[in-house]
Amino acid sequence: MRDLDWEIDAFRLFDLDPAAAGRFAAALAKDTEAEPVVADKVEEAFTDCDLVVLTTVAGEPHLHDPQLLAHNPVVLHLSLRDLAPEMILAARNFTDDVDHAVRERTSLHPTEERTGNRDFIDGTLADLLCERLRWDHGRPAIFSPFGLGVLDLAVGKWVHDRFP
């Protein structure tokens, strides 16, 4: 985000290992004018944040409270297994490939098992980009990009450009 010149007012970080969050905050502080804050609880990493990025190694959902989404954030759910079905059902949901993403115990998979359908998935990233869907700012949005190849390419280019 920094390398794309996004204007970011603040960073709120949370990790089960507070020392790891502190190290990341120190690294961020070197590259931005926005002061990173380490949250004591995961709830504080959601509150009032426009964008929440989940990058954990969670093997099963650990975030269950839909109230975390009450302020309608955009959630980039990169780690794919953090959100319990009640959180998924409280938001609009988008992925890169529905069939690919609703498997392997991703957060979308137990939600499908609970509801018996995939009606909770609003569409794909392509649907949004091609304007086949309208953006609803009155609801939270969760993006779950399972195997989004372009993300791999973007990360590869970033690494290549910085570490030739």
Side-chain angles (χ1 to χ4, degrees):
M1 294 173 200
R2 175 203 62 214
D3 293 340
L4 294 172
D5 295 325
W6 284 23
E7 290 186 30
I8 300 173
D9 296 329
F11 293 92
R12 199 170 308 151
L13 311 171
F14 175 79
D15 194 298
L16 291 174
D17 177 0
R23 288 189 300 276
F24 187 50
L28 274 175
K30 293 177 185 175
D31 292 330
T32 181
E33 293 180 19
E35 183 176 338
V37 174
V38 175
D40 293 326
K41 297 187 275 187
V42 70
E43 293 82 6
E44 296 169 9
F46 274 81
T47 304
D48 299 327
C49 293
D50 298 325
L51 175 65
V52 176
V53 182
L54 298 170
T55 58
T56 71
V57 293
E60 60 186 51
H62 57 98
L63 298 170
H64 298 269
D65 185 1
Q67 281 303 112
L68 294 173
L69 305 173
H71 63 291
N72 300 326
V74 172
V75 178
L76 183 54
H77 189 204
L78 296 177
S79 39
L80 295 170
R81 292 177 180 87
D82 301 279
L83 303 175
E86 50 269 29
M87 299 253 324
I88 296 294
L89 294 170
R92 293 190 76 196
N93 289 278
F94 305 94
T95 188
D96 52 334
D97 180 314
V98 176
D99 290 331
H100 192 63
V102 185
R103 63 187 188 94
E104 304 296 329
R105 306 305 301 161
T106 65
S107 291
L108 301 176
H109 191 198
T111 306
E112 177 190 44
E113 291 175 339
R114 178 181 288 185
T115 63
N117 61 57
R118 295 179 176 180
D119 293 347
F120 60 91
I121 300 175
D122 293 88
T124 65
L125 298 172
D127 291 330
L128 286 171
L129 293 172
C130 294
E131 298 181 348
R132 291 186 291 260
L133 292 174
R134 288 184 41 139
W135 186 258
D136 179 1
H137 293 281
R139 290 196 61 204
I142 299 172
F143 292 87
S144 300
F146 190 105
L148 187 60
V150 72
L151 181 61
D152 297 336
L153 291 171
V155 170
K157 180 178 181 340
W158 182 86
V159 170
H160 180 268
D161 290 349
R162 276 147 193 83
F163 306 101

